[in-house]
Amino acid sequence: TKYPKFCPSEIAELMGLDVSNDMDFDYIKQDIEGRAFVAKGRPKIWINPMLSEKRQRFTLAHEIGHVVWDMLPAMVNKEKIKGFEDHGGNLTFYRGGDVRLVEHHANNFAGRLLIPQKVVREELDGIMEQTPEENHTVSYLVPKLAEMFSVSKQTMTIRLLKLKIIE
């Protein structure tokens, strides 16, 4: 592939975000995959270290989405951050199976960050040119693209559906 994998940890570093994946058993036992929070006026992110590498990548991209769309605008405007829990002055947003609208937006952000539309279309065109027509099926293409972009098959399927590449 001619494109680098889109690395959410490098993006978080460029944004100046503190990211940790410490063994925090309080969150792990609650099945929390990640959390974005503000401590001492700075956004921070925690990722569950028990997740697979692909799931950690997606969760980090998802949490970056919360920072960009939910936290930074509120911090700039000095507003209370809606949907975040206050823990002794630290505002926290949890990722764990919640499907509220803010979670939907963060999932979309993660999909766009990890699987940009232009890049996935170009990669798909390349695969189609190089493989026999009988392999032009969802069951062949989704795993191949998922591996190329280091995401799960589920993440790739959802992104391709949103892009209307598959039905």
Side-chain angles (χ1 to χ4, degrees):
T1 181
K2 59 186 172 200
Y3 296 101
K5 289 179 185 168
F6 294 88
C7 183
S9 59
E10 289 177 9
I11 292 166
E13 186 177 327
L14 287 170
M15 292 175 66
L17 298 173
D18 292 328
V19 178
S20 74
N21 63 348
D22 299 335
M23 293 294 278
D24 190 323
F25 292 107
D26 289 336
Y27 294 115
I28 292 170
K29 71 183 177 188
Q30 296 176 57
D31 287 329
I32 293 174
E33 295 178 10
R35 60 189 269 255
F37 59 102
V38 177
K40 298 180 183 171
R42 289 183 42 101
K44 299 180 186 284
I45 294 173
W46 173 82
I47 303 299
N48 186 330
M50 304 301 287
L51 301 173
S52 70
E53 183 180 335
K54 289 178 182 178
R55 191 66 193 170
Q56 285 187 48
R57 280 173 43 81
F58 182 86
T59 300
L60 178 53
H62 172 101
E63 297 302 337
I64 292 170
H66 280 308
V67 170
V68 169
W69 291 108
D70 303 320
M71 298 172 85
L72 292 179
M75 290 172 70
V76 167
N77 295 320
K78 308 239 187 284
E79 299 170 0
K80 180 159 174 39
I81 302 174
K82 296 176 182 74
F84 289 72
E85 294 182 26
D86 190 346
H87 295 283
N90 293 335
L91 295 167
T92 304
F93 198 91
Y94 299 101
R95 172 158 169 61
D98 194 333
V99 290
R100 292 177 294 173
L101 190 57
V102 290
E103 292 300 301
H104 177 75
H105 289 302
N107 285 338
N108 278 338
F109 181 91
R112 290 176 176 188
L113 183 69
L114 297 173
I115 311 165
Q117 178 175 340
K118 179 181 182 215
V119 179
V120 76
R121 287 185 186 278
E122 289 177 5
E123 291 292 350
L124 182 60
D125 289 347
I127 293 169
M128 300 289 261
E129 288 175 12
Q130 296 171 12
T131 58
E133 195 166 325
E134 62 265 15
N135 286 343
H136 296 181
T137 63
V138 170
S139 61
Y140 175 80
L141 296 171
V142 167
K144 190 138 181 84
L145 287 166
E147 190 60 35
M148 292 172 92
F149 285 84
S150 293
V151 297
S152 68
K153 290 182 273 190
Q154 178 185 11
T155 297
M156 183 56 70
T157 300
I158 291 168
R159 183 69 174 133
L160 295 177
L161 286 166
K162 287 186 180 294
L163 293 173
K164 297 183 178 4
I165 292 174
I166 62 173
E167 297 177 354

